[in-house]
Amino acid sequence: GGSGGASQGGVVAAGVRWFGRVDISNPTQPRFSWSGTGFVARLTGTSLSATLSGGAFIYKPVVDGTPQPAFTTTSGSGTFPVATGLGAGEHTVELYRQTEGPQGDSQLTALSVGGGGALLAPPSGPSRLIEVIGDSITCGYGDLGMLSDTECYSTESHFDTYEAVAARALGAEVSTIAASGRGVIRNYGGDTTDTMPMVYSRTLANDVTPSWDFHIKPQAVVINLGTNDISNGKGDPGTAFRDTYVALLQTIRAKYPDAFIVCIIGPLLSGSDLTTIEGHISDAVQMRTTAGDAKVEFFDQIAAQTSDKAACQYHPNVAENMLMATQLAAELRAKLGW
């Protein structure tokens, strides 16, 4: 742990250590929103309950390293069991938000330990951190659902995304900055409001303030953007896409001087759309390499998704995410010596 409650492994507030970005303007009642954000607690006692406010959001508990069934909160404020039936001794309880940030903010207002136990100082984080910037694919939009489903947010699971699976395989934590339908210069619907580069510096997905201070430094940053810029028949976004992508790479490099940046695209694009976006990303990376950045690459090995891997609204299912995770983990091992 470093000074000010922050370390490689996250922010400590309200007696727990946080995953990803968290607003501690009110340090006893932190707010969080991005996919996969949450906290880890260490405690004695028989149970842990969390009082959470926000919308009807999905959360994934992990108790002593074992994933538990996700639960959905009621809109407003409520107290929800995160871990129950714990035996004697110390326990580690993690809670991850599965619902993506644009659906609204979460706030932790209280933690309650049952059975005469108490919260202990939270465990420190691993030395490995991956930041991932993306769209619905990276959120895990509908990844637990079926192609025939009409609605995908209720089957959204960040825990099952390629980046979360890869991070666990690498003994790393992951900070995800992603929102469905967003692009580099234009979104799925063709609008240009709150594109990913525009919201990248936010602590909370929908809130302009507070901005994130970038004091926690990942060793790797993965970008999976560009699908929404060209999909839905919009055509080539042109050199403006490349130039904005270059600017995003420059921003990331300024925040993280030592991070290895991996640019990927996939797995939903195919054919000429894929070729077009790959060309722009390749050009953007080449421009940064020419400018002297030796720690950025275009990893172009993510294959187009096959039809049997389609979950809700054609988004990658758990099996497709696993394939991507295996590729990404192998690449990060090779490049970072992990």
Side-chain angles (χ1 to χ4, degrees):
S3 60
S7 70
Q8 176 68 55
V11 175
V12 174
V16 295
R17 184 175 61 76
W18 290 83
F19 304 119
R21 298 183 183 181
V22 55
D23 171 21
I24 55 169
S25 304
N26 177 349
T28 63
Q29 298 188 341
R31 296 194 304 155
F32 56 108
S33 77
W34 294 111
S35 301
T37 50
F39 60 84
V40 56
R42 198 164 56 95
L43 63 139
T44 58
T46 57
S47 66
L48 179 68
S49 295
T51 304
L52 297 159
S53 62
F57 301 148
I58 304 166
Y59 297 88
K60 179 78 170 178
V62 178
V63 179
D64 293 326
T66 302
Q68 305 296 314
F71 64 88
T72 303
T73 58
T74 46
S75 191
S77 180
T79 300
F80 303 90
V82 179
T84 56
L86 302 176
E90 293 183 8
H91 298 277
T92 301
V93 178
E94 304 158 59
L95 188 67
Y96 299 93
R97 177 175 155 138
Q98 304 302 287
T99 301
E100 63 184 81
Q103 298 293 104
D105 300 340
S106 295
Q107 187 166 30
L108 175 71
T109 57
L111 284 170
S112 175
V113 177
L119 276 183
L120 307 172
S124 58
S127 59
R128 297 176 178 179
L129 177 65
I130 305 163
E131 178 177 279
V132 187
I133 306 163
D135 50 34
S136 57
I137 297 163
T138 301
C139 291
Y141 179 79
D143 57 0
L144 301 183
M146 306 287 287
L147 184 56
S148 56
D149 292 347
T150 55
E151 180 278 321
C152 303
Y153 288 113
S154 61
T155 54
E156 187 165 57
S157 176
H158 177 270
F159 193 82
D160 293 287
T161 58
Y162 69 93
E163 74 272 17
V165 174
R168 291 195 296 273
L170 293 166
E173 285 179 2
V174 63
S175 177
T176 295
I177 309 301
S180 288
R182 307 296 173 89
V184 173
I185 62 166
R186 61 187 180 186
N187 301 322
Y188 180 77
D191 64 286
T192 57
T193 304
D194 286 348
T195 59
M196 285 315 298
M198 292 177 185
V199 302
Y200 174 61
S201 64
R202 294 182 183 178
T203 301
L204 303 164
N206 292 340
D207 307 336
V208 175
T209 57
S211 56
W212 184 240
D213 63 9
F214 293 93
H215 66 282
I216 301 166
K217 310 290 185 187
Q219 291 83 26
V221 177
V222 178
I223 307 171
N224 188 358
L225 289 172
T227 301
N228 291 310
D229 291 89
I230 198 168
S231 63
N232 204 20
K234 287 190 294 297
D236 184 357
T239 53
F241 176 93
R242 178 203 66 192
D243 293 345
T244 305
Y245 202 106
V246 169
L248 177 61
L249 290 172
Q250 289 171 320
T251 297
I252 294 165
R253 176 57 68 220
K255 303 298 186 185
Y256 310 132
D258 301 317
F260 187 73
I261 305 172
V262 183
C263 305
I264 65 172
I265 185 69
L268 295 186
L269 293 182
S270 60
S272 61
D273 282 359
L274 177 59
T275 305
T276 297
I277 292 296
E278 283 187 330
H280 291 317
I281 295 173
S282 181
D283 288 348
V285 168
Q286 185 59 54
M287 289 171 79
R288 289 297 297 145
T289 304
T290 302
D293 190 336
K295 290 188 171 183
V296 58
E297 70 165 2
F298 177 34
F299 179 67
D300 63 358
Q301 300 303 302
I302 306 296
Q305 179 175 297
T306 53
S307 60
D308 61 311
K309 301 292 194 300
C312 195
Q313 293 173 10
Y314 293 95
H315 283 74
N317 69 7
V318 170
E320 176 65 29
N321 274 283
M322 188 71 74
L323 288 176
M324 293 175 66
T326 301
Q327 289 185 291
L328 182 60
E331 182 64 9
L332 292 176
R333 276 193 197 99
K335 291 298 191 293
L336 295 170
W338 283 0

